[in-house]
Amino acid sequence: MTAGTTSTPRVGIVMGSDSDWPVMKAAAEALGEFDVAHEADVVSAHRMPEEMLAYGREAADRGLEVIIAGAGGAAHLPGMLAAVTPLPVIGVPVPLKYLDGMDSLLSIVQMPAGVPVATVAVGGARNAGLLAVRILAAGDGDLRARMVDFQAELRTAAQQKGAVVRGDSGARRLGF
């Protein structure tokens, strides 16, 4: 478990291999920014299917509220977990050496009816963490207020960047 609390993890971050951790760590960092307790582990759909199924089946009873699952290549982990848990599952396509993660993206996003997996961009683990915060914030007023503050900070940062660009671009001209 990580984050600044000693409470039960609310979010589980799982991946098929420790080689996915450099990508998936961004989800843990985003959750940490909001002090959301979480856990991280390797649960391979192909190399340890029994453990993967147990993880999904037991997640809600252990207190998890959201699962973030990163996978590359065939990318079965998010969908298999979604098949056995009532919790929301967020899939993170992990880019590999070949196909730039498009294979992972298509594997995760093309779930059959009745087995939804929210899917972020290839390598988008930070957004997966932020989406998990938003899901939790739907029922947690304090967390929702922190998300609103975070969004205000994003807006301010974008406005400041716009001011820099406008200041550096010279006078506006019409036409050619």
Side-chain angles (χ1 to χ4, degrees), residues 25-41:
K25 187 175 182 181
E29 291 167 349
L31 293 166
E33 290 172 24
F34 287 86
D35 297 319
V36 172
H38 54 280
E39 63 185 25
D41 205 349

Side-chain angles (χ1 to χ4, degrees), residues 19-173:
S19 64
D20 299 335
W21 182 239
V23 170
M24 297 303 295
K25 187 175 182 181
E29 291 167 349
L31 293 166
E33 290 172 24
F34 287 86
D35 297 319
V36 172
H38 54 280
E39 63 185 25
D41 205 349
V42 170
V43 184
S44 173
H46 298 109
R47 296 179 194 98
M48 46 194 296
E50 293 86 8
E51 293 92 335
M52 181 265 312
L53 291 171
Y55 185 91
R57 289 181 179 135
E58 298 166 4
D61 289 338
R62 291 191 307 105
L64 293 180
E65 298 173 65
V66 180
I67 296 173
I68 299 172
H76 290 110
L77 182 60
M80 291 304 298
L81 289 171
V84 298
T85 186
L87 300 177
V89 175
I90 303 168
V92 178
V94 176
L96 299 177
K97 182 177 178 182
Y98 301 104
L99 302 177
D100 297 324
M102 287 302 296
D103 52 341
S104 307
L105 174 64
L106 295 174
S107 293
I108 295 171
V109 79
Q110 294 293 340
M111 294 303 301
V115 188
V117 174
T119 308
V120 296
V122 174
R126 177 168 175 75
N127 268 355
L130 294 172
L131 179 55
V133 171
R134 287 178 177 215
I135 291 168
L136 296 172
D140 181 333
D142 291 335
L143 199 52
R144 186 170 45 253
R146 292 183 67 191
M147 179 53 73
V148 168
D149 290 344
F150 172 78
Q151 290 173 300
E153 291 172 14
L154 287 178
R155 183 175 47 256
T156 299
Q159 290 168 339
Q160 291 170 346
K161 291 177 182 188
V164 169
V165 170
R166 286 188 304 275
D168 194 40
S169 68
R172 291 186 181 177
R173 295 185 230 163

